[in-house]
Structure formats: structure tokens, C-alpha cells
Amino acid sequence: QVQLVESGGGLVQPGGSLRLSCTTSGSIFRLYAMGWYRQAPGKQRELVATATTGGSTNYSDSVKGRFTISRDNAKNTMYLQMNSLKPEDTAVYYCNKHTRPWVNWGQGTQVTVSS
């Protein structure tokens, strides 16, 4: 069974940086485009960044220019470098396939941006 494990979240001041990691088991990482999602309290989960197996990337307008997605296919690991963080980036961050059908969601990692 495929597992997704997110890590690297925490509390950071506005303008700060964090680097999230996502590791998976199984072959999903090598076969599919992957994405970082986030869900803020009271809001729907949204896709913020994607990376194909070939390394092409795409970002939502809300994070473009501040976040960078990358993946290490040999390690089955994906990263999200988040710079210039804003309070509105506060959310639980998840990784999963870029499109449905998703695999089972992991626990996510909490990112809180606050002074």
C-alpha cells in the first residue's frame, strides 16, 4: 500500500522560510506527476504546486515566485521550498498525485506563519 509522509512544517514568522519534504513508498513517485496541496481552516484543499516526472513545474498564482517544488526520483522524495511566507500560507500541507484518483492522503504537515 502506498504511503505518503509529509514533514518539515512548523511555526515561522512572516517573511521566513521552510522546506517541506514528502516521501513515498511504492512506484507512484516514478510514474506520476506529483503535487503539493494545502488546506487552511474552513477552506477546501487547494493544489499549490506540481512537478512532473520530467521535472516540469507549475504553481498557483498565490505562491508563484515564492515557492519552489522539486523532486528526487531516485529517493522517491519531493520538496517544497517556501520563501517569503505570509500569514495566509498557514495551512496543513499535503502531497499526492497531481490528479485523481489520489492515493490515500498522509497526515500532512502544519505550517503556521505568525509573528
Side-chain angles (χ1 to χ4, degrees), residues 38 46-50 58-65 67:
R38 69 184 181 188
E46 63 169 332
L47 178 64
V48 297
T50 61
N58 197 22
Y59 301 92
S60 67
D61 288 342
S62 60
V63 307
K64 194 173 297 181
F67 290 10

Side-chain angles (χ1 to χ4, degrees), residues 30-114:
R30 292 187 292 275
L31 294 176
Y32 299 102
M34 297 291 292
W36 279 102
Y37 300 76
R38 69 184 181 188
Q39 187 167 20
K43 295 187 177 181
Q44 289 189 333
R45 189 172 294 171
E46 63 169 332
L47 178 64
V48 297
T50 61
T52 67
T53 55
S56 297
T57 59
N58 197 22
Y59 301 92
S60 67
D61 288 342
S62 60
V63 307
K64 194 173 297 181
R66 300 187 297 121
F67 290 10
T68 302
I69 187 173
S70 61
R71 53 190 295 166
D72 185 333
N73 292 336
K75 296 182 179 180
N76 289 345
T77 302
M78 182 170 67
Y79 305 98
L80 186 67
Q81 178 66 43
M82 306 187 297
N83 298 329
S84 303
L85 283 161
K86 305 175 181 180
E88 51 263 43
D89 295 318
T90 295
V92 179
Y93 284 71
Y94 303 87
C95 61
N96 211 311
K97 291 170 57 186
H98 169 220
T99 56
R100 296 173 188 258
W102 294 306
V103 299
N104 292 335
W105 294 90
Q107 297 284 347
T109 186
Q110 175 71 48
V111 172
T112 303
V113 185
S114 175

